[in-house]
């Protein structure tokens, strides 16, 4: 049972799917862990194994033990089995125990977001759950630049122009055109701001595009990075709510109350404050950190030693 951990948006899902597409000596199964947790994940696993949706743990276990086919099971978003609170690892432990007891030559790879993994690591201490843990690296400047280039339509002439974009001059950019220098400088700024996260980089690349009203040409201008002094000076209980939302991915007021030991009224008041400033967005009745503020919020939590990026 192995774990791949990485920050939200760094490409863990793509990595899992790549592994599954390359496997030759096992049957690949991809499971995207539901928000509801272990019970719903067990139903999904049963269906993928060819069993009834309401199959019990014992039936799933018996099938895995008797199966002549070795499985490679990839569980994506396994952080949905983790809650940063006392007893919050029960779903993850149930799944790990089930898969370990299958005994046959099956293999499991779980993807757990880094914000949640730190909680798992600290909560378990020396009592290891997994055989191997690896962390997805941040993308390099070269990798991100190549990614940005693939998002520009190369089949038409001048799809976007960097003319008029003012960026700091680099010492190693003597023998290139002004536009190429502006492009490389812009890519470097995006790489630095995103901290090697491709999803964050692409979002702010998109926010940097404008259409010239006279020429109708798409031009690139520096994006405005969100920043807030309020976050830096925010009371620790409010930051604890924000941290729990990052760790839980999506969180209901009741879950946040459990995780932070704050009352429901305090949590709801804090969520309203966050919503009014755009820090969070709602998915049905659950809060999620907005994509636009994600990097600034994780930077603040990291500086306050409340989260490891």
């Amino acid at each position: 049972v192995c774990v791949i951990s990485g920050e939200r948006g760094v490409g863990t899902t793509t990595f899992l799917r790549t592994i599954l597409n390359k496997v030759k000596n096992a049957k690949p199964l991809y499971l995207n862990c539901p928000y509801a947790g272990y019970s719903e994940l067990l139903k999904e696993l049963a269906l993928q194994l060819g069993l009834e949706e309401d199959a019990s743990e014992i039936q799933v276990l018996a099938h895995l033990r008797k199966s002549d086919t070795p499985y490679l099971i990839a569980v994506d978003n396994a952080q949905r089995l983790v809650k940063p609170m006392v007893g919050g690892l029960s779903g993850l432990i149930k799944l790990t125990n089930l898969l370990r007891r299958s005994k046959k030559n099956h293999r499991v790879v779980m993807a757990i977001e880094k914000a949640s993994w730190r909680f798992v690591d600290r909560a378990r201490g020396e009592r290891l759950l997994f055989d191997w843990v690896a962390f997805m690296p941040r993308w390099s400047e070269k990798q991100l630049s190549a990614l940005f280039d693939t998002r520009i339509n190369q089949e038409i002439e001048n799809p976007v122009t960097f003319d008029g974009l003012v960026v700091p001059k680099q010492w190693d950019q003597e023998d290139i055109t002004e536009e190429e220098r502006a492009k490389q400088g812009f890519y470097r700024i995006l790489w630095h701001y995103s901290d090697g996260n491709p999803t964050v980089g692409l979002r702010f690349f998109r926010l940097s595009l404008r259409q010239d009203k006279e020429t109708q040409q798409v031009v690139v201008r520096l994006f405005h990075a969100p920043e807030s002094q309020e976050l830096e000076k925010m009371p620790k209980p409010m930051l604890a709510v924000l941290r729990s939302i990052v760790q839980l991915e999506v969180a209901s007021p009741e879950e946040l109350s459990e995780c932070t030991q704050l009352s429901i009224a305090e949590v709801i008041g804090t969520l309203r404050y966050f919503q009014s400033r755009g820090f969070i967005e709602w998915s049905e009745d659950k809060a999620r950190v907005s994509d636009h503020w994600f990097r600034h919020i994780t930077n603040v939590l990291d500086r306050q030693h409340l989260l490891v990026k």
Side-chain angles (χ1 to χ4, degrees), residues 19-52:
I19 292 175
L20 292 178
N21 287 334
K22 289 187 174 181
V23 68
K24 292 176 182 168
N25 57 354
K27 183 176 179 181
L29 296 182
Y30 175 81
L31 301 171
N32 187 17
C33 185
Y35 289 120
Y38 178 71
S39 57
E40 292 300 312
L41 180 63
L42 187 66
K43 291 179 184 178
E44 182 67 25
L45 177 59
L47 287 172
Q48 294 236 22
L49 292 172
L51 302 173
E52 295 295 321

Side-chain angles (χ1 to χ4, degrees), residues 129-178:
L129 275 173
F130 309 105
D131 302 303
W132 185 73
V133 179
F135 294 93
M136 295 284 287
R138 292 187 173 93
W139 287 39
S140 68
E141 182 184 350
K142 187 176 179 181
Q143 288 171 320
L144 272 186
S145 297
L147 176 68
F148 298 148
D149 281 339
T150 65
R151 293 302 192 270
I152 298 172
N153 187 349
Q154 304 292 347
E155 295 178 8
I156 61 175
E157 193 175 351
N158 298 325
V160 299
T161 177
F162 292 83
D163 276 345
L165 180 65
V166 180
V167 296
K169 193 166 186 175
Q170 302 293 328
W171 64 270
D172 57 348
Q173 295 178 331
E174 297 297 330
D175 303 325
I176 56 178
T177 65
E178 280 299 306

Side-chain angles (χ1 to χ4, degrees), residues 28 49 52 71 81 97 135 140 171 177 185 235 255 265 279 302 309:
L49 292 172
E52 295 295 321
Y71 290 102
L81 299 171
N97 288 344
F135 294 93
S140 68
W171 64 270
T177 65
E255 288 171 323
F279 299 157
D302 187 49
K309 281 201 303 180

Side-chain angles (χ1 to χ4, degrees), residues 112-308:
I112 300 179
E113 272 191 19
K114 208 170 183 178
S116 295
W117 170 252
R118 293 301 179 191
F119 176 78
V120 177
D121 194 30
R122 288 171 182 166
R124 291 298 295 182
E126 296 299 315
R127 297 164 293 158
L128 296 176
L129 275 173
F130 309 105
D131 302 303
W132 185 73
V133 179
F135 294 93
M136 295 284 287
R138 292 187 173 93
W139 287 39
S140 68
E141 182 184 350
K142 187 176 179 181
Q143 288 171 320
L144 272 186
S145 297
L147 176 68
F148 298 148
D149 281 339
T150 65
R151 293 302 192 270
I152 298 172
N153 187 349
Q154 304 292 347
E155 295 178 8
I156 61 175
E157 193 175 351
N158 298 325
V160 299
T161 177
F162 292 83
D163 276 345
L165 180 65
V166 180
V167 296
K169 193 166 186 175
Q170 302 293 328
W171 64 270
D172 57 348
Q173 295 178 331
E174 297 297 330
D175 303 325
I176 56 178
T177 65
E178 280 299 306
E179 183 170 9
E180 185 63 26
R181 184 180 68 77
K183 175 181 167 184
Q184 287 185 18
F186 174 70
Y187 282 179
R188 183 166 292 176
I189 290 168
L190 271 177
W191 169 68
H192 186 267
Y193 175 74
S194 68
D195 206 5
N197 186 311
T199 303
V200 174
L202 284 171
R203 175 180 180 79
F204 284 92
F205 189 6
R206 190 168 70 247
L207 293 175
S208 302
L209 301 177
R210 310 273 187 277
Q211 189 164 34
D212 190 300
K213 291 180 180 177
E214 293 178 7
T215 64
Q216 299 303 305
Q217 194 161 28
V218 178
V219 297
V220 177
R221 295 293 177 260
L222 275 181
F223 58 90
H224 295 289
E227 50 185 79
S228 170
Q229 291 302 314
E230 291 173 291
L231 275 172
E232 299 282 1
K233 299 172 184 175
M234 197 173 280
K236 282 289 193 288
M238 293 179 76
L239 287 175
V241 172
L242 208 48
R243 176 181 67 175
S244 293
I245 299 171
V246 173
Q247 290 178 319
L248 289 165
E249 189 184 358
V250 297
S252 68
E254 292 74 21
E255 288 171 323
L256 291 170
S257 177
E258 283 183 297
C259 294
T260 60
Q261 300 296 299
L262 296 171
S263 70
I264 283 285
E266 288 173 304
V267 168
I268 290 174
T270 301
L271 291 176
R272 282 179 177 159
Y273 176 87
F274 290 160
Q275 185 180 7
S276 70
R277 280 148 182 81
F279 299 157
I280 62 169
E281 53 200 19
W282 290 91
S283 174
E284 296 178 7
D285 60 341
K286 297 197 173 191
R288 180 179 188 271
V289 170
S290 74
D291 290 339
H292 191 67
W293 283 92
F294 175 75
R295 174 51 73 226
H296 185 66
I297 286 171
T298 53
N299 283 342
V300 169
L301 292 174
D302 187 49
R303 283 196 293 272
Q304 301 271 359
H305 307 291
L306 292 171
L307 191 76
V308 179

